[in-house]
Every structure is written in structure tokens, then in C-alpha cells.
Amino acid sequence: MPGKLLCFCFIFFFCCTAFSQSKKEIKKLNIKSCEVSVTENTDGKEIMRKESFEKYDHNANVIENYEYNKDGTFKKKESHKFSKNDDPTEEVIYNENGTILKKTVTVYNDNNDKKEETVFDENGKIVELIRFNYNANEEKISELVTDDKGKTIRRSVYSYDKNGLKTEKKTFDANNVLISTKKYSYGF
């Protein structure tokens, strides 16, 4: 029994440190997964439960992520797929019953910039289609969000300074009314 406990403690410690490790370290150490458990003292009793579990691909990308409720029951799952360039190409979110809640598929242009994101609901119906446009300097200059019929939901435009740093993002609603402005400033 002490050997099993020692082994469990080692695995638990290793996974917990891996969970907080960088992608570089996960890849270097060839970590395949990490489970995080929590032990809580309640009424003088130690109760251990699983909190989360992550599974990694050969490039240290999280390909599956499971979350658990405080009572230890399954809460939700996310699965991720990546391109050969390690860009995320698909994300699927499942509920506690294993039913798909949301699926996002991302397509990239020849410069590996996001070209389009399609968001599907639990029935496979398109909820949003997001298209990205870039200038000659490969800076994202606009983002257009439409519904499944092509009707505009919102639109964002980006501004940059002479160094290519993003300075502003303005977001407009379907009627082209400004709904928010985000400004970026940098300290050197």
C-alpha cells in the first residue's frame, strides 16, 4: 500500500507541475496527459475528487480537456484539433451528457492568418460566420460577423501605428452604430 501511495503522490505531483508547465516543457518531457485532483477536509474527513484532466498531442497542444463539478461528476469536455502549423482548426464543447454545445471551425489563409471562423450550435446549424481581412502588412484590418443567412451581426475595424502595433478596435452593430472602442497603448 505505501508503494501505491508513493506512486500516486509522484504522479499527482508530476501532473500538477506539468499542468502549470509551459508548452515547451510539456513537449520536452513528452507529457501525454495531466490529471488534477483536489483533496478537501470536510468534517474531519479527507475527500479527494478529480478537478480536471488534459490530454496533449505530440506538439504539446491540449487536444482534450475535461472539467468536473465539486461533487466529482463530469461537467464538460472540450476537444481541439490543430493544423500542421499548430494553429487551432476545430474546437468542440460538450455538456455533461456528452452532447455538443458548440463547435468552432477555423480556416487560415496562405500566410497562416485566420481567414474564417464558423460557429455551429448543438444541432450543427451555423450560428456565426466570422471573416477576417488583412492589409499588405498582414495586419488584421477588419472582422465581419454574420448569421447563417449572411446578415451582419457586428463588424470590427482595427487601426495600427507606424510600427505595426494595434492602436484601436472599433466595433459596430448590425446597423453600423458604434457599440465600443478599445484603445491600445504601449510602454517601452
Side-chain angles (χ1 to χ4, degrees):
M1 181 71 174
K4 286 182 181 179
L5 182 60
L6 182 62
C7 181
F8 172 77
C9 290
F10 174 76
I11 290 170
F12 179 77
F13 172 77
F14 185 73
C15 280
C16 285
T17 56
F19 198 77
S20 63
Q21 298 301 316
S22 71
K23 227 175 134 168
K24 182 179 175 184
E25 290 167 320
I26 291 169
K27 190 173 181 177
K28 177 183 170 191
L29 296 170
N30 198 28
I31 296 171
K32 303 282 187 225
S33 65
C34 177
E35 180 177 302
V36 177
S37 299
V38 176
T39 302
E40 296 176 327
N41 292 316
T42 306
D43 299 325
K45 294 181 183 179
E46 286 189 355
I47 300 172
M48 187 171 78
R49 65 177 171 83
K50 192 184 299 188
E51 183 178 75
S52 63
F53 176 82
E54 284 188 343
K55 187 174 177 183
Y56 308 103
D57 68 9
H58 64 283
N59 286 326
N61 296 307
V62 177
I63 55 173
E64 291 181 6
N65 180 32
Y66 297 82
E67 291 180 25
Y68 299 87
N69 295 307
K70 285 201 176 255
D71 65 0
T73 59
F74 177 72
K75 182 178 182 180
K76 75 173 187 173
K77 172 188 170 185
E78 292 181 11
S79 68
H80 306 268
K81 293 182 182 177
F82 296 86
S83 71
K84 63 181 177 184
N85 298 320
D86 284 337
D87 294 316
T89 58
E90 182 179 281
E91 175 189 70
V92 181
I93 300 172
Y94 303 84
N95 67 12
E96 66 277 355
N97 299 323
T99 304
I100 294 175
L101 292 175
K102 178 180 165 184
K103 178 179 176 180
T104 304
V105 176
T106 306
V107 177
Y108 296 85
N109 64 21
D110 293 338
N111 296 321
N112 280 347
D113 297 316
K114 277 187 190 180
K115 177 181 174 182
E116 191 175 273
E117 276 187 352
T118 307
V119 181
F120 301 89
D121 68 10
E122 66 275 3
N123 298 315
K125 181 181 179 227
I126 295 174
V127 177
E128 290 183 340
L129 178 60
I130 308 161
R131 290 189 177 98
F132 304 92
N133 290 304
Y134 300 87
N135 63 18
N137 296 327
E138 297 182 30
E139 299 163 338
K140 180 171 43 173
I141 56 172
S142 69
E143 186 176 305
L144 178 65
V145 181
T146 60
D147 65 13
D148 64 327
K149 296 183 179 35
K151 183 179 177 200
T152 299
I153 297 172
R154 70 184 170 278
R155 175 180 66 87
S156 297
V157 292
Y158 298 85
S159 300
Y160 297 85
D161 68 12
K162 64 181 178 172
N163 296 316
L165 295 172
K166 187 184 330 176
T167 57
E168 189 175 70
K169 175 185 177 183
K170 289 186 175 185
T171 303
F172 302 86
D173 69 11
N175 297 316
N176 210 28
V177 174
L178 180 66
I179 54 176
S180 71
T181 301
K182 192 181 278 190
K183 294 193 179 267
Y184 302 84
S185 59
Y186 304 91
F188 296 94

